[in-house]
Amino acid sequence: YDLDNNGIKNKLDYNQSIDFLKNTGRNNYLLGFNDILHSDLDNYSPVSDSIKTYNIIGCGQPTIGQIFILNKETTGTEYGLKYISGDGTVPLKSAEALTADDSYYIRGVEHAVMPGADDVKQLAIAILKDTIGSFSLNNYPTISHNSADCSLNGTQISFHSPIDLNVYDENNHHVGPDQNGDIELGIIGAQYDDLDGNKFVFLPNGHNYKVVGQAMGKGTFNARVQTVQNGQYIETVYYNQVPLNSTSTVAQLQINNGQPAGVIEIDQNGDQIFETQVEPSAVLNQAEAAD
């Protein structure tokens, strides 16, 4: 969808993406500063100055990789989002761009806390003491020499306005907005994002999840449940224009250990009695979902 009305649709290259951000009111100064910063950094590695360089890369965490504009709906713009492997902030492919003498992949550790992770500290000590040659990865389960160990597997769920998105596992751990409106990430390995009212959550395999939507207004909402296997979106279950008759309406969906989604149960008046069920509007395979 041509949201900025400049006649350009489909996937945008780097310069087109920058133009899109400017055309939709983003901060021109920061965009320019970003360009200057990266022009200095992107093509440099300490290796070129004969400095022994080790790249310690976080991976296996859902990280924003692509954002799509799907449709212009009456309630606003409907976005799609694709998660890829990374440390929750830096995508794996970006971190790998640094030329290094050796690279180590740290699985399941988020960007902000990676320097303090026990395995990472032991790796850094071995590098600084020059004992890295005898550093046995068998003793450090989160560290790998192989990027293939960083694959992303799980379920991505998205609700598109006007409805909140909350998820609970079998131990009642919660992902979603709390009473203060802050995002709670109580499930290890989960990720939550909100793009202009489009809510996205990534859930790792290995748990049973109850997905709960609370209406924020009357109308309808769209939902997608996508199965991610080895970083590929292999199936999309789509629900189109599910009715929300009041702000008391609750929608509920069960996801069991990565199994495909079934019906959405609807409680229109908030009395905890789910009187209707909504079947998927479409179940798409990998090729169909990418169309």
Side-chain angles (χ1 to χ4, degrees):
Y1 191 87
D2 182 16
L3 190 63
D4 59 347
N5 298 313
N6 67 346
I8 300 175
K9 297 183 179 182
N10 301 317
K11 290 185 178 180
L12 306 182
D13 62 24
Y14 176 77
N15 290 325
Q16 291 170 336
S17 298
I18 295 298
D19 288 341
F20 171 81
L21 292 174
K22 292 178 178 178
N23 293 343
T24 52
R26 271 61 181 185
N27 190 315
N28 281 11
Y29 171 78
L30 286 181
L31 288 170
F33 178 79
N34 167 77
D35 203 36
I36 294 171
L37 176 68
H38 277 276
S39 66
D40 291 336
L41 290 178
D42 285 349
N43 297 317
Y44 174 73
S45 169
V47 171
S48 60
D49 290 329
S50 300
I51 298 172
K52 187 73 172 178
T53 304
Y54 298 86
N55 200 5
I56 301 175
I57 301 169
C59 69
Q61 291 286 111
T63 307
I64 293 178
Q66 291 181 320
I67 297 173
F68 306 91
I69 299 167
L70 297 175
N71 299 295
K72 187 73 171 178
E73 300 282 355
T74 56
T75 54
T77 302
E78 185 174 277
Y79 290 97
L81 187 152
K82 180 180 180 180
Y83 289 109
I84 60 177
S85 180
D87 64 11
T89 300
V90 179
L92 172 62
K93 60 175 64 178
S94 295
E96 288 182 312
L98 177 70
T99 301
D101 295 290
D102 205 353
S103 293
Y104 292 89
Y105 297 89
I106 314 299
R107 300 185 300 274
V109 180
E110 295 182 358
H111 180 84
V113 300
M114 189 164 59
D118 288 340
D119 288 2
V120 175
K121 288 192 289 187
Q122 296 304 314
L123 175 61
I125 289 170
I127 292 171
L128 294 171
K129 286 186 173 182
D130 199 22
T131 59
I132 193 66
S134 60
F135 188 81
S136 176
L137 297 185
N138 293 331
N139 299 325
Y140 301 95
T142 67
I143 304 178
S144 175
H145 250 136
N146 189 354
S147 63
D149 294 330
C150 295
S151 61
L152 194 65
N153 296 283
T155 301
Q156 177 177 316
I157 300 165
S158 59
F159 281 1
H160 306 272
S161 291
I163 189 170
D164 261 338
L165 172 58
N166 293 273
V167 180
Y168 303 86
D169 69 7
E170 61 276 311
N171 297 311
N172 209 37
H173 297 141
H174 172 243
V175 170
D178 62 17
Q179 292 181 343
N180 298 320
D182 299 319
I183 300 303
E184 183 177 38
L185 293 174
I187 298 173
I188 295 174
Q191 179 67 28
Y192 188 102
D193 288 284
D194 186 334
L195 302 178
D196 289 346
N198 297 261
K199 289 87 175 179
F200 303 86
V201 63
F202 183 92
L203 302 169
N205 291 337
H207 296 277
N208 298 327
Y209 299 107
K210 181 173 69 173
V211 182
V212 180
Q214 176 66 56
M216 302 172 64
K218 294 177 63 176
T220 63
F221 78 100
N222 300 334
R224 291 173 174 83
V225 180
Q226 298 174 284
T227 302
V228 182
Q229 189 176 94
N230 295 324
Q232 300 296 316
Y233 284 63
I234 63 170
E235 182 181 85
T236 297
V237 180
Y238 177 61
Y239 303 84
N240 186 57
Q241 295 189 330
V242 180
L244 301 171
N245 292 348
S246 74
T247 56
S248 299
T249 301
V250 176
Q252 185 171 293
L253 175 69
Q254 192 72 28
I255 305 290
N256 294 325
N257 195 23
Q259 294 300 308
V263 299
I264 294 180
E265 297 181 305
I266 303 294
D267 169 14
Q268 290 288 6
N269 57 11
D271 63 358
Q272 299 185 0
I273 298 175
F274 293 86
E275 60 275 352
T276 59
Q277 294 183 336
V278 177
E279 297 282 347
S281 304
V283 178
L284 309 176
N285 62 29
Q286 184 173 351
E288 293 167 338
D291 184 352

